[in-house]
Amino acid sequence: MKRIAIYCGSASPADPRYIELAEDVGAALAQRGIGVVYGGGRLGLMGAVAKGAKQEGGEVIGVIPDALIKSEVANPECDELIAVSGMHERKQKFTDLSDGFVTLPGGVGTMDELWEAMSWAQLGYHSDPVGLLNAFGFYDDLIAFNAKMAEVGFVRPVHSNILIAAETLPDLLDKMESYQPHTPIFQMKAEDL
């Protein structure tokens, strides 16, 4: 993986572990020679990821909607800052520029990005690994919910391993490196659906 899209919150939670985690993730990716593609913001976990990567000499590409540039939240420290018209174009650009996705703790926007990356993988719009960093047990309930969807039958068995979760970044990256793409819906016959 040469570049990874990082999905995370633009908020700064009161618990400092979240900002530290984001900065550590950016730094660790840079140390491995993996570029960061992220939301282009300078605030919250987003800004911390970029800061950590830049401090270690890593590549940082920001993809940010025009409206957020006008709100002065764009990070001028990015190696490249790509302005897009909206969120749909932003997510497409993340997919085009990256070889995988890692989701850190975040809110509604982060969940939107994660679920779309999973949905696009399931359908066949991309075949890249979709990782979830479950630091501090933040995503325990989401992982259980994903398993429940598969148990009930809303996620096909062939797609039940799209979401790759781990509690530490090294473990997550190892799992992502060994990810074997599944058969996407676009390649399945009606009787398999």
Side-chain angles (χ1 to χ4, degrees):
M1 294 181 288
K2 294 179 183 176
R3 289 183 184 147
I4 291 181
I6 302 292
Y7 298 142
C8 62
S10 60
S12 296
D15 186 337
R17 295 182 304 169
Y18 293 101
I19 294 292
E20 291 168 11
L21 170 72
E23 196 169 317
D24 290 347
V25 165
L29 292 174
Q31 290 164 358
R32 288 181 177 231
I34 299 172
V36 169
V37 178
Y38 85 116
R42 61 179 174 79
L43 305 175
L45 273 68
M46 273 195 211
V49 166
K51 177 182 176 185
K54 292 303 293 175
Q55 286 178 339
E56 293 296 323
E59 176 191 40
V60 176
I61 299 173
V63 183
I64 189 166
D66 291 320
L68 292 177
I69 292 175
K70 293 172 187 168
S71 298
E72 300 182 355
V73 299
N75 185 352
E77 302 297 318
C78 293
D79 295 302
E80 184 177 0
L81 188 64
I82 301 168
V84 294
S85 62
M87 298 304 285
H88 293 294
E89 188 179 352
R90 180 193 224 181
K91 290 181 281 188
Q92 181 64 58
K93 191 61 83 172
F94 283 150
T95 303
D96 294 344
L97 293 171
S98 303
D99 306 306
F101 309 86
V102 169
T103 301
L104 305 182
V108 173
T110 305
M111 292 301 90
D112 173 55
E113 292 165 337
L114 170 64
W115 290 114
E116 188 154 307
M118 290 176 60
S119 176
W120 286 13
Q122 182 176 277
L123 290 166
Y125 286 112
H126 73 78
S127 59
D128 299 324
V130 179
L132 183 71
L133 186 56
N134 188 28
F136 323 121
F138 185 82
Y139 285 120
D140 286 350
D141 292 336
L142 186 139
I143 292 166
F145 176 66
N146 191 57
K148 179 71 171 182
M149 288 189 297
E151 176 188 321
V152 171
F154 287 114
V155 175
R156 292 166 188 83
V158 70
H159 300 136
S160 63
N161 294 319
I162 289 175
L163 183 63
I164 303 165
E167 294 178 5
T168 68
L169 185 64
D171 288 346
L172 183 59
L173 293 176
D174 287 347
K175 289 179 178 182
M176 290 173 68
E177 288 284 355
S178 63
Y179 172 70
Q180 295 296 315
H182 56 280
T183 303
I185 289 174
F186 292 157
Q187 294 178 4
M188 298 173 87
K189 304 285 187 208
E191 58 269 15
D192 298 324
L193 298 173

